[in-house]
Amino acid sequence: MTRPRAVPVVVWLIVLLHLAVMLGQTAVFPHLRSPDERQHVDLVLQVRQGDAWPWPGPGTTYVTQGVTAGGFVEADSLDGPLHLADRDDVPPRGERPSYLDAGGTATLTAEAPDGSVAPVFNQLVQHPPLYYLLGAGVVSLVPDWQDAPLDQVWLLLRWWNALLALPLPLLLFAAARRLRLPEPLPVAAALVPLAIPELTHLESAVNNDNLLVILGACATLLVIRVLTGDLSRRTAALLGLVTMLALLTKGFALMFPPWILLAYAVVAYRHRDRLRTAVVALLVAATLTLPGIAWWVRNVVVHGMLQPHGTHATPPDLTPVHGWADGGLAWLGRFTERMVTLFFVQDHAATREHDASWWMARVALVVVLAGLVTALVRRPVPRLDALVLLFPVPALAGIVARGSWEQFAAFHDLGAAQQGRYLYTGLVGLMVVALAGAAVLRPGRRRVVPAALLVLACGMHLAYQHDVWRLYWMPYDAGPGAFADALAAVGHWYAFPSAVPVAVLVAGVALAAAVALSLTRSAVGERRPGRSASADAEPLAAA
Protein backbone atom coordinates (compact mmCIF):
# COMPACT_ATOMS: atom_id res chain seq x y z
CA MET A 1 0.00 0.00 0.00
CA THR A 2 1.41 3.34 -0.99
CA ARG A 3 1.65 6.13 1.48
CA PRO A 4 -1.23 8.64 1.25
CA ARG A 5 -0.38 12.05 -0.11
CA ALA A 6 -0.40 15.09 2.10
CA VAL A 7 -3.34 17.47 2.11
CA PRO A 8 -2.88 19.82 -0.87
CA VAL A 9 -2.35 23.52 -0.23
CA VAL A 10 -5.57 24.33 -2.08
CA VAL A 11 -7.57 22.35 0.49
CA TRP A 12 -6.09 24.44 3.32
CA LEU A 13 -7.03 27.54 1.34
CA ILE A 14 -10.58 26.18 1.03
CA VAL A 15 -10.71 25.63 4.81
CA LEU A 16 -9.70 29.26 5.38
CA LEU A 17 -12.18 30.47 2.74
CA HIS A 18 -14.87 28.46 4.49
CA LEU A 19 -14.01 30.25 7.73
CA ALA A 20 -14.08 33.66 6.03
CA VAL A 21 -17.52 32.94 4.57
CA MET A 22 -18.85 31.90 7.97
CA LEU A 23 -17.44 34.97 9.70
CA GLY A 24 -18.84 37.14 6.92
CA GLN A 25 -22.27 35.65 7.52
CA THR A 26 -22.13 36.82 11.14
CA ALA A 27 -22.21 40.38 9.80
CA VAL A 28 -24.82 39.86 7.09
CA PHE A 29 -27.37 38.17 9.33
CA PRO A 30 -28.53 40.20 12.35
CA HIS A 31 -28.61 38.40 15.66
CA LEU A 32 -31.76 36.30 16.19
CA ARG A 33 -32.11 35.67 12.45
CA SER A 34 -31.25 31.98 12.53
CA PRO A 35 -33.62 29.16 13.52
CA ASP A 36 -34.32 29.33 17.28
CA GLU A 37 -31.13 31.34 17.81
CA ARG A 38 -32.63 33.38 20.66
CA GLN A 39 -33.56 30.22 22.56
CA HIS A 40 -30.17 28.62 21.95
CA VAL A 41 -28.32 31.65 23.30
CA ASP A 42 -30.70 31.97 26.22
CA LEU A 43 -30.25 28.34 27.24
CA VAL A 44 -26.46 28.70 27.04
CA LEU A 45 -26.66 31.72 29.35
CA GLN A 46 -29.01 29.95 31.75
CA VAL A 47 -26.61 27.02 32.00
CA ARG A 48 -23.75 29.46 32.64
CA GLN A 49 -25.69 30.97 35.56
CA GLY A 50 -26.73 27.61 36.96
CA ASP A 51 -30.44 28.22 36.27
CA ALA A 52 -30.58 25.38 33.74
CA TRP A 53 -28.20 23.00 35.46
CA PRO A 54 -29.02 20.36 36.55
CA TRP A 55 -30.92 20.03 33.29
CA PRO A 56 -34.53 21.18 33.70
CA GLY A 57 -37.56 19.13 32.76
CA PRO A 58 -39.90 19.99 29.87
CA GLY A 59 -42.31 22.84 30.41
CA THR A 60 -40.30 24.32 33.28
CA THR A 61 -37.91 26.72 31.54
CA TYR A 62 -38.75 30.11 30.06
CA VAL A 63 -36.84 32.50 27.84
CA THR A 64 -35.36 35.29 29.94
CA GLN A 65 -35.76 39.00 29.32
CA GLY A 66 -32.00 39.54 29.39
CA VAL A 67 -31.42 37.73 26.10
CA THR A 68 -33.42 40.40 24.24
CA ALA A 69 -30.43 42.73 24.63
CA GLY A 70 -28.52 40.72 22.04
CA GLY A 71 -30.43 41.82 18.96
CA PHE A 72 -32.64 44.52 17.51
CA VAL A 73 -34.96 42.56 15.20
CA GLU A 74 -37.77 40.06 15.68
CA ALA A 75 -36.93 36.41 16.23
CA ASP A 76 -39.96 35.05 14.37
CA SER A 77 -40.81 34.87 10.67
CA LEU A 78 -40.76 38.22 8.94
CA ASP A 79 -43.73 39.85 7.26
CA GLY A 80 -41.53 41.45 4.62
CA PRO A 81 -38.30 43.44 4.11
CA LEU A 82 -36.93 45.10 7.25
CA HIS A 83 -35.07 47.99 5.55
CA LEU A 84 -32.55 48.07 8.40
CA ALA A 85 -30.55 50.81 6.68
CA ASP A 86 -33.44 53.18 7.45
CA ARG A 87 -33.38 52.54 11.19
CA ASP A 88 -31.65 55.00 13.52
CA ASP A 89 -32.62 53.50 16.88
CA VAL A 90 -29.64 51.16 17.36
CA PRO A 91 -27.26 52.55 20.02
CA PRO A 92 -23.60 53.09 19.15
CA ARG A 93 -21.30 50.12 19.52
CA GLY A 94 -20.19 49.58 23.11
CA GLU A 95 -23.23 51.42 24.51
CA ARG A 96 -25.70 48.66 23.78
CA PRO A 97 -27.57 46.97 26.63
CA SER A 98 -26.19 44.10 28.65
CA TYR A 99 -27.99 41.00 29.84
CA LEU A 100 -28.73 42.65 33.18
CA ASP A 101 -29.79 45.93 31.54
CA ALA A 102 -32.51 44.11 29.63
CA GLY A 103 -33.98 42.38 32.67
CA GLY A 104 -31.59 39.53 33.44
CA THR A 105 -33.29 36.31 34.47
CA ALA A 106 -36.81 37.75 34.58
CA THR A 107 -39.22 35.74 32.44
CA LEU A 108 -39.95 37.01 28.95
CA THR A 109 -43.65 37.30 28.16
CA ALA A 110 -45.63 37.67 24.96
CA GLU A 111 -49.22 38.23 23.99
CA ALA A 112 -51.09 35.00 23.37
CA PRO A 113 -53.61 34.59 20.52
CA ASP A 114 -56.49 35.16 22.95
CA GLY A 115 -55.03 38.51 24.04
CA SER A 116 -53.66 37.31 27.37
CA VAL A 117 -50.00 37.65 28.35
CA ALA A 118 -48.14 34.38 28.74
CA PRO A 119 -44.51 33.44 29.46
CA VAL A 120 -42.36 32.36 26.49
CA PHE A 121 -41.23 28.77 26.95
CA ASN A 122 -37.76 27.65 25.94
CA GLN A 123 -38.59 24.41 24.14
CA LEU A 124 -34.94 23.48 23.64
CA VAL A 125 -34.76 21.66 26.97
CA GLN A 126 -36.12 18.72 24.96
CA HIS A 127 -32.54 18.25 23.73
CA PRO A 128 -29.59 16.76 25.64
CA PRO A 129 -27.27 19.32 27.29
CA LEU A 130 -23.83 18.81 25.71
CA TYR A 131 -23.94 21.76 23.29
CA TYR A 132 -25.18 24.14 25.98
CA LEU A 133 -22.55 23.03 28.48
CA LEU A 134 -19.84 23.75 25.89
CA GLY A 135 -21.41 27.11 25.08
CA ALA A 136 -21.54 28.01 28.76
CA GLY A 137 -17.82 27.26 28.94
CA VAL A 138 -17.23 29.76 26.12
CA VAL A 139 -19.28 32.43 27.90
CA SER A 140 -17.30 31.84 31.10
CA LEU A 141 -14.20 33.10 29.26
CA VAL A 142 -15.80 36.58 29.01
CA PRO A 143 -15.13 38.61 32.19
CA ASP A 144 -18.32 40.12 33.68
CA TRP A 145 -20.32 38.91 30.69
CA GLN A 146 -23.61 39.87 32.35
CA ASP A 147 -22.58 43.54 32.32
CA ALA A 148 -20.98 43.52 28.87
CA PRO A 149 -22.99 44.52 25.78
CA LEU A 150 -24.79 41.29 25.04
CA ASP A 151 -24.46 41.66 21.28
CA GLN A 152 -20.70 41.18 21.74
CA VAL A 153 -21.17 38.04 23.87
CA TRP A 154 -23.61 36.78 21.24
CA LEU A 155 -21.10 37.40 18.46
CA LEU A 156 -18.42 35.48 20.36
CA LEU A 157 -20.81 32.52 20.55
CA ARG A 158 -21.34 32.80 16.80
CA TRP A 159 -17.58 32.74 16.25
CA TRP A 160 -17.32 29.67 18.45
CA ASN A 161 -19.89 27.94 16.25
CA ALA A 162 -17.85 28.86 13.16
CA LEU A 163 -14.80 27.26 14.76
CA LEU A 164 -16.85 24.13 15.51
CA ALA A 165 -17.67 23.86 11.81
CA LEU A 166 -14.18 24.77 10.57
CA PRO A 167 -12.93 21.16 9.93
CA LEU A 168 -15.87 20.21 7.68
CA PRO A 169 -14.01 20.70 4.34
CA LEU A 170 -11.09 18.65 5.68
CA LEU A 171 -13.42 15.84 6.74
CA LEU A 172 -15.08 15.81 3.33
CA PHE A 173 -11.66 15.71 1.67
CA ALA A 174 -10.53 12.85 3.92
CA ALA A 175 -13.75 10.91 3.29
CA ALA A 176 -13.38 11.17 -0.49
CA ARG A 177 -9.73 10.20 -0.27
CA ARG A 178 -10.46 7.18 1.92
CA LEU A 179 -13.01 6.04 -0.68
CA ARG A 180 -10.17 6.29 -3.21
CA LEU A 181 -12.01 8.72 -5.43
CA PRO A 182 -9.63 9.76 -8.22
CA GLU A 183 -8.06 13.19 -8.24
CA PRO A 184 -9.17 15.92 -8.05
CA LEU A 185 -12.52 14.76 -6.62
CA PRO A 186 -11.32 14.89 -2.99
CA VAL A 187 -10.56 18.59 -3.56
CA ALA A 188 -14.05 19.02 -4.99
CA ALA A 189 -15.44 17.36 -1.87
CA ALA A 190 -13.73 19.99 0.28
CA LEU A 191 -15.61 22.68 -1.67
CA VAL A 192 -19.05 21.26 -0.87
CA PRO A 193 -19.81 23.45 2.21
CA LEU A 194 -19.20 26.57 0.11
CA ALA A 195 -21.89 25.46 -2.34
CA ILE A 196 -24.62 25.33 0.33
CA PRO A 197 -25.28 28.90 1.57
CA GLU A 198 -27.78 27.81 4.21
CA LEU A 199 -25.13 25.52 5.70
CA THR A 200 -22.61 28.36 6.04
CA HIS A 201 -25.38 30.54 7.49
CA LEU A 202 -26.21 27.90 10.10
CA GLU A 203 -22.52 27.40 10.88
CA SER A 204 -22.21 31.13 11.59
CA ALA A 205 -25.12 31.19 14.04
CA VAL A 206 -25.71 29.80 17.53
CA ASN A 207 -27.37 26.43 16.96
CA ASN A 208 -26.85 22.94 18.37
CA ASP A 209 -27.05 21.55 14.81
CA ASN A 210 -23.47 22.70 14.32
CA LEU A 211 -22.07 20.29 16.90
CA LEU A 212 -24.19 17.43 15.57
CA VAL A 213 -23.15 18.12 11.96
CA ILE A 214 -19.44 17.99 12.74
CA LEU A 215 -19.90 14.84 14.82
CA GLY A 216 -21.88 13.33 11.93
CA ALA A 217 -19.02 14.19 9.58
CA CYS A 218 -16.51 12.50 11.91
CA ALA A 219 -18.76 9.45 12.18
CA THR A 220 -19.06 9.25 8.38
CA LEU A 221 -15.29 9.24 7.95
CA LEU A 222 -15.00 6.47 10.54
CA VAL A 223 -17.80 4.47 8.89
CA ILE A 224 -15.90 4.76 5.61
CA ARG A 225 -12.83 3.38 7.34
CA VAL A 226 -14.90 0.42 8.53
CA LEU A 227 -16.37 -0.16 5.07
CA THR A 228 -12.88 -0.14 3.55
CA GLY A 229 -11.71 -2.89 5.89
CA ASP A 230 -10.60 -1.15 9.09
CA LEU A 231 -11.94 -3.39 11.87
CA SER A 232 -9.48 -2.17 14.47
CA ARG A 233 -10.64 -1.60 18.01
CA ARG A 234 -9.22 1.91 17.86
CA THR A 235 -11.51 2.91 15.01
CA ALA A 236 -14.44 1.19 16.72
CA ALA A 237 -13.69 3.06 19.94
CA LEU A 238 -13.55 6.38 18.12
CA LEU A 239 -16.82 5.60 16.37
CA GLY A 240 -18.46 4.75 19.69
CA LEU A 241 -17.11 7.91 21.30
CA VAL A 242 -18.37 10.13 18.47
CA THR A 243 -21.77 8.43 18.62
CA MET A 244 -21.97 8.94 22.37
CA LEU A 245 -21.26 12.66 21.99
CA ALA A 246 -23.82 12.93 19.19
CA LEU A 247 -26.46 11.21 21.32
CA LEU A 248 -25.78 13.77 24.04
CA THR A 249 -26.31 16.58 21.52
CA LYS A 250 -29.57 15.98 19.64
CA GLY A 251 -32.22 13.34 19.01
CA PHE A 252 -31.36 12.92 15.33
CA ALA A 253 -28.30 11.00 16.52
CA LEU A 254 -30.59 8.10 17.37
CA MET A 255 -30.04 6.94 13.79
CA PHE A 256 -26.30 6.46 14.50
CA PRO A 257 -26.51 3.03 16.25
CA PRO A 258 -28.44 1.27 13.43
CA TRP A 259 -26.16 2.98 10.92
CA ILE A 260 -23.04 1.63 12.64
CA LEU A 261 -24.62 -1.81 12.92
CA LEU A 262 -25.35 -1.72 9.19
CA ALA A 263 -21.74 -0.79 8.37
CA TYR A 264 -20.27 -3.63 10.41
CA ALA A 265 -22.88 -6.05 9.01
CA VAL A 266 -21.81 -5.19 5.45
CA VAL A 267 -18.14 -5.75 6.27
CA ALA A 268 -18.90 -9.00 8.08
CA TYR A 269 -20.90 -10.21 5.08
CA ARG A 270 -18.14 -9.20 2.70
CA HIS A 271 -15.30 -10.67 4.79
CA ARG A 272 -16.79 -13.74 6.44
CA ASP A 273 -13.34 -14.87 7.49
CA ARG A 274 -13.17 -11.77 9.73
CA LEU A 275 -16.60 -12.20 11.32
CA ARG A 276 -15.24 -12.52 14.85
CA THR A 277 -13.08 -9.41 14.44
CA ALA A 278 -16.08 -7.46 13.16
CA VAL A 279 -18.25 -8.57 16.09
CA VAL A 280 -15.59 -7.59 18.63
CA ALA A 281 -15.16 -4.17 16.99
CA LEU A 282 -18.94 -3.64 16.99
CA LEU A 283 -19.10 -4.52 20.70
CA VAL A 284 -16.35 -1.99 21.43
CA ALA A 285 -18.27 0.72 19.58
CA ALA A 286 -21.54 -0.25 21.27
CA THR A 287 -19.98 -0.18 24.74
CA LEU A 288 -18.71 3.37 24.32
CA THR A 289 -22.09 4.42 22.96
CA LEU A 290 -23.93 3.38 26.13
CA PRO A 291 -23.59 6.68 28.08
CA GLY A 292 -25.31 8.45 25.18
CA ILE A 293 -28.01 5.80 24.96
CA ALA A 294 -28.57 6.20 28.70
CA TRP A 295 -29.86 9.75 28.19
CA TRP A 296 -32.68 8.52 25.98
CA VAL A 297 -33.48 5.61 28.27
CA ARG A 298 -33.74 8.18 31.05
CA ASN A 299 -36.26 10.15 29.00
CA VAL A 300 -38.45 7.07 28.62
CA VAL A 301 -38.26 6.30 32.33
CA VAL A 302 -38.75 9.87 33.60
CA HIS A 303 -40.98 11.41 30.92
CA GLY A 304 -42.61 8.37 29.38
CA MET A 305 -41.34 9.17 25.87
CA LEU A 306 -38.10 9.14 23.95
CA GLN A 307 -38.01 12.91 23.43
CA PRO A 308 -40.35 15.08 25.50
CA HIS A 309 -42.08 18.17 24.15
CA GLY A 310 -40.03 21.02 25.55
CA THR A 311 -42.98 23.34 26.20
CA HIS A 312 -45.20 20.85 28.04
CA ALA A 313 -44.54 19.19 31.37
CA THR A 314 -47.40 16.85 30.44
CA PRO A 315 -47.22 15.55 26.85
CA PRO A 316 -49.81 17.26 24.64
CA ASP A 317 -52.64 15.27 23.13
CA LEU A 318 -51.49 14.30 19.65
CA THR A 319 -54.37 11.98 18.87
CA PRO A 320 -54.72 11.94 15.06
CA VAL A 321 -57.89 13.66 13.92
CA HIS A 322 -56.85 14.33 10.33
CA GLY A 323 -55.89 11.82 7.68
CA TRP A 324 -54.63 11.68 4.12
CA ALA A 325 -58.00 12.71 2.73
CA ASP A 326 -57.84 15.96 4.75
CA GLY A 327 -54.92 17.36 2.79
CA GLY A 328 -52.23 14.71 2.96
CA LEU A 329 -51.12 15.37 -0.60
CA ALA A 330 -50.76 19.09 0.16
CA TRP A 331 -48.71 18.21 3.25
CA LEU A 332 -46.45 15.90 1.21
CA GLY A 333 -45.96 18.51 -1.50
CA ARG A 334 -45.04 21.17 1.02
CA PHE A 335 -42.79 18.79 2.93
CA THR A 336 -40.85 17.88 -0.22
CA GLU A 337 -40.55 21.50 -1.37
CA ARG A 338 -39.37 22.80 2.01
CA MET A 339 -36.87 20.02 2.63
CA VAL A 340 -35.23 20.80 -0.71
CA THR A 341 -35.36 24.59 -0.46
CA LEU A 342 -34.26 24.81 3.15
CA PHE A 343 -31.42 22.36 2.62
CA PHE A 344 -29.67 24.72 0.21
CA VAL A 345 -31.03 28.17 1.08
CA GLN A 346 -33.40 29.86 3.54
CA ASP A 347 -36.73 31.62 3.32
CA HIS A 348 -36.44 34.10 6.18
CA ALA A 349 -39.78 35.70 5.48
CA ALA A 350 -41.54 32.30 5.15
CA THR A 351 -43.17 33.55 1.93
CA ARG A 352 -42.11 30.50 -0.13
CA GLU A 353 -41.29 32.92 -2.93
CA HIS A 354 -39.75 31.44 -6.06
CA ASP A 355 -36.86 33.89 -6.03
CA ALA A 356 -33.29 33.59 -7.30
CA SER A 357 -32.04 31.44 -4.42
CA TRP A 358 -35.09 29.14 -4.70
CA TRP A 359 -34.24 28.42 -8.33
CA MET A 360 -30.54 27.93 -7.57
CA ALA A 361 -31.54 25.33 -4.98
CA ARG A 362 -33.19 23.38 -7.79
CA VAL A 363 -30.07 23.65 -9.93
CA ALA A 364 -27.98 22.26 -7.08
CA LEU A 365 -30.51 19.47 -6.51
CA VAL A 366 -30.28 18.37 -10.15
CA VAL A 367 -26.47 18.25 -9.91
CA VAL A 368 -26.58 16.16 -6.74
CA LEU A 369 -29.20 13.76 -8.11
CA ALA A 370 -27.24 13.31 -11.34
CA GLY A 371 -24.16 12.37 -9.33
CA LEU A 372 -26.08 9.97 -7.09
CA VAL A 373 -27.76 8.15 -9.98
CA THR A 374 -24.46 7.84 -11.86
CA ALA A 375 -22.68 6.54 -8.77
CA LEU A 376 -25.34 3.93 -8.05
CA VAL A 377 -25.55 2.77 -11.67
CA ARG A 378 -21.86 2.85 -12.68
CA ARG A 379 -20.54 1.82 -9.24
CA PRO A 380 -17.28 3.76 -8.90
CA VAL A 381 -17.87 3.01 -5.21
CA PRO A 382 -19.22 -0.45 -4.27
CA ARG A 383 -22.99 -0.16 -4.23
CA LEU A 384 -23.35 -1.56 -0.71
CA ASP A 385 -20.85 1.02 0.55
CA ALA A 386 -22.75 3.79 -1.22
CA LEU A 387 -26.06 2.68 0.30
CA VAL A 388 -24.57 2.58 3.80
CA LEU A 389 -23.18 6.10 3.33
CA LEU A 390 -26.55 7.34 2.06
CA PHE A 391 -28.47 5.71 4.93
CA PRO A 392 -28.42 8.79 7.25
CA VAL A 393 -30.29 11.01 4.78
CA PRO A 394 -33.44 8.87 4.38
CA ALA A 395 -33.24 7.97 8.07
CA LEU A 396 -33.17 11.63 9.08
CA ALA A 397 -35.84 12.52 6.53
CA GLY A 398 -38.01 9.75 7.96
CA ILE A 399 -37.63 11.10 11.49
CA VAL A 400 -38.54 14.60 10.31
CA ALA A 401 -41.48 13.35 8.23
CA ARG A 402 -42.86 11.39 11.17
CA GLY A 403 -42.76 14.44 13.46
CA SER A 404 -44.23 16.70 10.80
CA TRP A 405 -47.03 14.27 9.96
CA GLU A 406 -47.81 13.91 13.66
CA GLN A 407 -48.45 17.66 13.85
CA PHE A 408 -50.51 17.58 10.66
CA ALA A 409 -52.62 14.66 11.87
CA ALA A 410 -53.29 16.31 15.23
CA PHE A 411 -53.58 20.01 14.30
CA HIS A 412 -53.75 20.12 10.48
CA ASP A 413 -50.42 22.00 10.45
CA LEU A 414 -49.09 21.73 6.90
CA GLY A 415 -45.61 23.08 7.59
CA ALA A 416 -44.45 21.92 11.04
CA ALA A 417 -40.79 20.88 11.45
CA GLN A 418 -39.99 20.99 7.73
CA GLN A 419 -36.36 22.10 7.80
CA GLY A 420 -33.87 20.83 5.23
CA ARG A 421 -31.03 21.63 7.64
CA TYR A 422 -32.04 18.55 9.64
CA LEU A 423 -30.38 16.44 6.92
CA TYR A 424 -26.93 18.01 7.36
CA THR A 425 -25.80 15.27 9.73
CA GLY A 426 -25.73 13.01 6.66
CA LEU A 427 -24.09 15.64 4.44
CA VAL A 428 -20.67 14.01 4.06
CA GLY A 429 -21.98 10.62 2.98
CA LEU A 430 -24.50 12.16 0.60
CA MET A 431 -22.00 14.43 -1.11
CA VAL A 432 -19.06 12.05 -1.44
CA VAL A 433 -21.35 9.49 -3.09
CA ALA A 434 -22.70 12.20 -5.40
CA LEU A 435 -19.15 13.26 -6.28
CA ALA A 436 -18.23 9.62 -6.88
CA GLY A 437 -20.49 9.85 -9.90
CA ALA A 438 -17.88 12.14 -11.49
CA ALA A 439 -15.27 9.37 -11.20
CA VAL A 440 -16.61 7.88 -14.44
CA LEU A 441 -15.53 10.97 -16.38
CA ARG A 442 -12.35 10.99 -18.42
CA PRO A 443 -9.37 12.49 -16.56
CA GLY A 444 -9.41 15.71 -18.58
CA ARG A 445 -13.06 16.36 -17.83
CA ARG A 446 -12.71 15.26 -14.25
CA ARG A 447 -10.08 17.94 -13.64
CA VAL A 448 -12.78 20.55 -14.32
CA VAL A 449 -15.10 19.31 -11.54
CA PRO A 450 -13.63 21.39 -8.66
CA ALA A 451 -13.63 24.58 -10.74
CA ALA A 452 -17.19 23.88 -11.88
CA LEU A 453 -18.25 23.32 -8.28
CA LEU A 454 -16.66 26.62 -7.27
CA VAL A 455 -18.63 28.37 -10.03
CA LEU A 456 -21.82 26.75 -8.75
CA ALA A 457 -20.95 27.87 -5.21
CA CYS A 458 -20.47 31.45 -6.40
CA GLY A 459 -23.81 31.37 -8.19
CA MET A 460 -25.55 29.97 -5.13
CA HIS A 461 -24.11 32.67 -2.87
CA LEU A 462 -24.82 35.49 -5.30
CA ALA A 463 -28.48 34.50 -5.50
CA TYR A 464 -28.66 33.94 -1.76
CA GLN A 465 -27.00 37.21 -0.83
CA HIS A 466 -29.18 39.11 -3.28
CA ASP A 467 -32.27 37.87 -1.47
CA VAL A 468 -30.78 38.39 1.99
CA TRP A 469 -29.64 41.98 1.41
CA ARG A 470 -32.98 42.84 -0.17
CA LEU A 471 -34.82 41.39 2.82
CA TYR A 472 -32.68 42.85 5.60
CA TRP A 473 -30.47 45.78 4.69
CA MET A 474 -31.54 47.70 1.59
CA PRO A 475 -33.35 50.98 2.38
CA TYR A 476 -36.95 51.46 1.36
CA ASP A 477 -35.91 54.07 -1.20
CA ALA A 478 -33.56 51.97 -3.31
CA GLY A 479 -31.82 54.88 -5.05
CA PRO A 480 -28.28 55.06 -6.47
CA GLY A 481 -26.65 55.10 -3.04
CA ALA A 482 -28.84 52.38 -1.52
CA PHE A 483 -26.15 49.70 -1.36
CA ALA A 484 -23.67 52.10 0.26
CA ASP A 485 -26.31 52.91 2.89
CA ALA A 486 -26.87 49.19 3.46
CA LEU A 487 -23.11 48.60 3.89
CA ALA A 488 -22.90 51.46 6.38
CA ALA A 489 -25.81 49.96 8.32
CA VAL A 490 -24.07 46.57 8.50
CA GLY A 491 -20.93 48.25 9.84
CA HIS A 492 -22.94 50.16 12.44
CA TRP A 493 -24.96 47.17 13.62
CA TYR A 494 -21.96 44.83 13.91
CA ALA A 495 -20.99 44.14 17.52
CA PHE A 496 -17.24 44.54 16.90
CA PRO A 497 -15.52 47.46 15.12
CA SER A 498 -16.39 47.65 11.43
CA ALA A 499 -12.72 47.03 10.62
CA VAL A 500 -13.35 43.38 11.57
CA PRO A 501 -15.90 42.57 8.84
CA VAL A 502 -13.85 44.63 6.37
CA ALA A 503 -10.78 42.50 7.16
CA VAL A 504 -12.87 39.34 6.81
CA LEU A 505 -14.16 40.54 3.43
CA VAL A 506 -10.68 41.38 2.14
CA ALA A 507 -9.31 38.03 3.34
CA GLY A 508 -12.27 36.21 1.84
CA VAL A 509 -11.82 37.84 -1.58
CA ALA A 510 -8.10 37.09 -1.55
CA LEU A 511 -8.70 33.46 -0.54
CA ALA A 512 -11.42 33.04 -3.15
CA ALA A 513 -9.08 34.38 -5.82
CA ALA A 514 -6.29 32.04 -4.70
CA VAL A 515 -8.61 29.02 -4.71
CA ALA A 516 -10.04 29.98 -8.11
CA LEU A 517 -6.54 30.43 -9.59
CA SER A 518 -5.39 27.07 -8.25
CA LEU A 519 -8.47 25.24 -9.54
CA THR A 520 -8.27 26.98 -12.92
CA ARG A 521 -4.68 25.89 -13.36
CA SER A 522 -5.69 22.34 -12.50
CA ALA A 523 -8.65 22.46 -14.87
CA VAL A 524 -6.52 23.50 -17.85
CA GLY A 525 -4.13 20.67 -17.19
CA GLU A 526 -1.16 22.32 -15.49
CA ARG A 527 0.91 19.61 -13.81
CA ARG A 528 4.01 19.44 -11.69
CA PRO A 529 7.21 18.74 -13.65
CA GLY A 530 7.74 15.06 -14.17
CA ARG A 531 4.19 14.02 -13.44
CA SER A 532 2.66 11.72 -16.02
CA ALA A 533 -0.60 12.58 -17.73
CA SER A 534 -2.08 9.27 -16.61
CA ALA A 535 -1.68 10.09 -12.92
CA ASP A 536 -5.07 11.77 -12.79
CA ALA A 537 -6.74 8.48 -13.63
CA GLU A 538 -5.24 6.67 -10.65
CA PRO A 539 -7.24 6.50 -7.43
CA LEU A 540 -5.66 7.79 -4.28
CA ALA A 541 -4.34 5.26 -1.81
CA ALA A 542 -6.49 4.56 1.20
CA ALA A 543 -5.50 6.65 4.18
Side-chain angles (χ1 to χ4, degrees), residues 51-127:
D51 295 331
W53 191 258
W55 200 242
T60 62
T61 301
Y62 306 99
V63 176
T64 62
Q65 291 182 12
V67 77
T68 61
F72 306 96
V73 295
E74 294 296 324
D76 300 321
S77 296
L78 305 177
D79 296 328
L82 293 183
H83 305 300
L84 299 182
D86 294 332
R87 285 182 50 179
D88 58 3
D89 60 335
V90 178
R93 188 180 301 109
E95 299 178 15
R96 294 166 190 169
S98 69
Y99 183 79
L100 292 179
D101 291 336
T105 59
T107 300
L108 182 67
T109 59
E111 185 175 342
D114 61 2
S116 62
V117 175
V120 178
F121 284 96
N122 194 325
Q123 81 279 13
L124 298 180
V125 292
Q126 67 184 316
H127 298 303

Side-chain angles (χ1 to χ4, degrees), residues 317-324 326 328 331 401-414 416:
D317 182 10
L318 295 176
T319 302
V321 295
H322 302 283
W324 186 260
D326 299 314
W331 169 84
R402 180 185 179 278
S404 182
W405 176 261
E406 184 180 63
Q407 294 296 309
F408 169 80
F411 308 116
H412 206 256
D413 188 341
L414 286 172

Side-chain angles (χ1 to χ4, degrees), residues 218-521:
C218 292
T220 304
L221 178 57
L222 293 167
V223 164
I224 290 173
R225 294 191 67 89
V226 172
L227 291 172
T228 51
D230 184 352
L231 296 179
S232 67
R233 297 182 184 182
R234 177 178 176 271
T235 294
L238 288 172
L239 190 50
L241 177 62
V242 168
T243 300
M244 177 193 71
L245 296 174
L247 286 166
L248 292 175
T249 300
K250 200 161 186 174
F252 288 125
L254 287 166
M255 66 87 186
F256 278 42
W259 181 32
I260 294 169
L261 176 61
L262 180 62
Y264 277 105
V266 167
V267 175
Y269 169 78
R270 184 178 289 154
H271 304 286
R272 294 175 182 81
D273 57 325
R274 303 180 67 191
L275 177 59
R276 181 174 179 178
T277 305
V279 170
V280 170
L282 178 60
L283 289 175
V284 170
T287 300
L288 285 169
T289 299
L290 289 177
I293 294 289
W295 175 267
W296 301 96
V297 174
R298 165 196 171 274
N299 277 353
V300 174
V301 172
V302 175
H303 304 300
M305 55 174 41
L306 203 58
Q307 178 161 310
H309 292 265
T311 58
H312 297 78
T314 302
D317 182 10
L318 295 176
T319 302
V321 295
H322 302 283
W324 186 260
D326 299 314
L329 188 61
W331 169 84
L332 180 60
R334 179 158 180 167
F335 178 84
T336 303
E337 187 272 334
R338 300 311 276 166
M339 293 299 287
V340 171
T341 301
L342 301 182
F343 181 92
F344 293 104
V345 294
Q346 180 60 271
D347 180 6
H348 295 265
T351 58
R352 300 173 64 200
E353 181 182 357
H354 291 188
D355 51 19
S357 60
W358 189 94
W359 284 108
M360 286 302 299
R362 271 68 199 162
V363 172
L365 176 66
V366 170
V367 173
V368 171
L369 290 179
L372 290 175
V373 170
T374 303
L376 292 174
V377 172
R378 299 288 299 275
R379 306 185 192 182
V381 172
R383 186 173 291 169
L384 273 178
D385 291 1
L387 292 176
V388 171
L389 293 175
L390 292 175
F391 171 83
V393 172
L396 292 164
I399 295 172
V400 178
R402 180 185 179 278
S404 182
W405 176 261
E406 184 180 63
Q407 294 296 309
F408 169 80
F411 308 116
H412 206 256
D413 188 341
L414 286 172
Q418 297 173 0
Q419 293 284 332
R421 63 188 169 93
Y422 293 149
L423 305 183
Y424 288 158
T425 307
L427 177 78
V428 172
L430 174 69
M431 292 305 179
V432 294
V433 173
L435 277 168
V440 305
L441 297 173
R442 294 178 180 178
R445 294 182 178 179
R446 199 168 58 233
R447 285 200 305 272
V448 180
V449 171
L453 187 55
L454 183 62
V455 171
L456 176 62
C458 291
M460 294 287 291
H461 276 279
L462 283 173
Y464 191 60
Q465 291 297 322
H466 172 268
D467 294 338
V468 168
W469 282 76
R470 182 184 62 178
L471 179 63
Y472 288 116
W473 297 105
M474 297 300 287
Y476 182 81
D477 182 11
F483 187 63
D485 293 339
L487 282 174
V490 170
H492 176 71
W493 281 57
Y494 200 64
F496 293 160
S498 55
V500 173
V502 169
V504 169
L505 176 62
V506 171
V509 170
L511 287 164
V515 170
L517 179 61
S518 176
L519 297 183
T520 300
R521 287 177 173 174

